[in-house]
């Protein structure tokens, strides 16, 4: 433990610091100097894969995909000599799995260490890919018919699940049509109630004259028809409400 001077023959190449006490057989990576003729450029991207699978559990559609962190290292060698380069790549997180390369030459708590052979007359490249599984949960009953039909056409879902989602879309469409009809009936009944109130007020103010009696008869006929239609609407409303509940 402590300062270390590195020599190649009689030439001093640089100095390093041992952060811990070394033991027999122990291997330690010691940075001791900069090689300015070797350049390393890193380019990172974060992206997500398309959905790869899905399942339906208690009305919740669970879709699986992956988040991908990828770093591409480009090495340029201007030294005229071959080098063995070690790249310490910081891990993306505990839940990420190393996909490419399949294995690092060494793994530390926070880093992967990769070895890259750099030829004397050129450069080298290294791509590190890490993936993290993600799931998206969707309450199917709260989705539009179009969205459910879209999922029912996705090839990453099983045939049985796509058939089930297609059936769910049909049911949602039927419920949507029932809701539309129900709202129409409710609006019509409100208008009928208002009309009945007006007819009753008009009937009450009419006198005994022949013209008023003819008007009264017309009003009574319209009131009777309005009441009959209201009863019909009540029956249709109950049927639709039962259909929506089922």
């Amino acid at each position: 433990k402590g300062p270390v001077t590195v020599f190649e023959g009689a030439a001093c190449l640089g100095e390093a610091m041992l952060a811990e006490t070394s033991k027999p057989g122990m291997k330690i990576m010691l940075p001791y100097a900069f090689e300015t003729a070797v350049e390393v450029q890193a380019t990172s991207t974060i992206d997500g894969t398309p959905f790869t699978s899905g399942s339906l559990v208690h009305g919740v559609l669970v879709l699986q995909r992956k988040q991908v962190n990828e770093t591409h290292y480009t090495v340029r060698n201007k030294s005229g000599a071959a080098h063995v380069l070690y790249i310490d790549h910081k891990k993306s997180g505990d839940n990420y799995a190393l996909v490419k390369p399949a294995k690092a030459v060494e793994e530390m708590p926070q880093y992967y260490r990769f070895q890259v052979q750099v030829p004397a007359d050129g450069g080298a490249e290294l791509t590190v890919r890490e993936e993290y599984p993600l799931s998206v949960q969707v309450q199917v009953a709260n989705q539009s018919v179009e969205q459910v039909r879209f999922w029912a056409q996705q090839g990453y879902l099983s045939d049985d699940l796509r058939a089930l989602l297609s059936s769910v879309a049909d049911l949602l469409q039927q419920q949507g049509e029932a809701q539309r009809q129900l709202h129409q009936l409710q609006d019509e009944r409100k208008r009928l109630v208002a009309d009945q109130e007006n007819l009753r007020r008009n009937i009450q103010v009419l006198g005994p004259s022949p013209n008023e009696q003819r008007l009264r008869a017309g009003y009574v006929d319209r009131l009777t028809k309005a009441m009959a239609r209201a009863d019909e609407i009540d029956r249709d409303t109950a049927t639709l409400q039962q259909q929506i509940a089922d």
Side-chain angles (χ1 to χ4, degrees):
K1 184 176 180 179
V4 176
T5 303
V6 179
F7 288 89
E8 184 176 3
C12 176
L13 300 182
E15 294 184 344
M17 180 66 69
L18 275 174
E20 56 184 319
T21 303
S22 60
K23 300 177 182 178
M26 186 176 181
K27 294 182 179 180
I28 301 174
M29 185 75 68
L30 285 177
Y32 61 86
F34 288 102
E35 176 53 85
T36 57
V38 178
E39 299 177 353
V40 181
Q41 182 177 7
T43 303
S44 298
T45 59
I46 300 176
D47 202 358
T49 64
F51 291 115
T52 56
S53 63
S55 59
L56 188 64
V57 182
H58 301 303
V60 178
L61 181 64
V62 183
L63 302 173
Q64 305 293 338
R65 60 191 293 268
K66 294 178 181 178
Q67 180 165 307
V68 179
N69 288 8
E70 191 168 276
T71 301
H72 185 74
Y73 295 95
T74 302
V75 183
R76 296 181 179 87
N77 184 9
K78 302 177 183 178
S79 67
H83 290 276
V84 178
L85 180 66
Y86 289 91
I87 294 179
D88 286 353
H89 173 82
K90 184 174 177 60
K91 294 180 179 180
S92 296
D94 294 337
N95 294 322
Y96 282 83
L98 178 64
V99 176
K100 181 181 179 182
K103 188 178 180 180
V105 295
E106 186 178 353
E107 183 174 352
M108 294 160 283
Q110 301 296 326
Y111 291 87
Y112 293 112
R113 178 166 291 162
F114 299 100
Q115 185 185 82
V116 181
Q117 300 290 336
V118 184
D121 56 351
E125 294 185 350
L126 171 70
T127 298
V128 181
R129 180 185 176 100
E130 298 168 276
E131 294 181 351
Y132 171 57
L134 294 173
S135 64
V136 177
Q137 299 186 2
V138 182
Q139 190 74 35
V140 175
N142 296 335
Q143 304 304 305
S144 67
V145 174
E146 292 76 13
Q147 182 63 61
V148 178
R149 291 202 188 282
F150 171 79
W151 285 323
Q153 298 171 357
Q154 301 310 300
Y156 56 80
L157 300 178
S158 68
D159 292 343
D160 290 343
L161 181 51
R162 284 190 282 121
L164 178 58
L165 288 172
S166 182
S167 299
V168 170
D170 291 340
L171 179 59
L172 289 176
Q173 186 170 5
Q174 293 171 9
Q175 288 184 334
E177 177 61 22
Q179 287 281 10
R180 185 187 66 81
Q181 294 178 12
L182 181 61
H183 291 156
Q184 288 181 340
L185 290 175
Q186 290 172 340
D187 290 342
E188 183 181 357
R189 199 182 194 291
K190 289 179 182 179
R191 292 193 299 270
L192 284 173
V193 170
D195 289 344
Q196 289 178 49
E197 292 299 324
N198 289 332
L199 288 169
R200 289 189 177 94
R201 282 196 295 268
N202 290 337
I203 291 172
Q204 290 175 355
V205 299
L206 290 174
S209 69
N211 287 337
E212 290 175 308
Q213 289 301 311
R214 283 194 297 270
L215 284 174
R216 183 191 300 274
Y219 288 155
V220 170
D221 181 63
R222 288 171 56 185
L223 180 59
T224 302
K225 291 179 179 178
M227 294 173 63
R229 176 56 183 158
D231 290 341
E232 183 181 354
I233 289 175
D234 289 341
R235 291 192 296 270
D236 292 343
T237 297
T239 300
L240 286 172
Q241 288 174 334
Q242 184 62 46
Q243 180 181 337
I244 293 171
D246 293 342

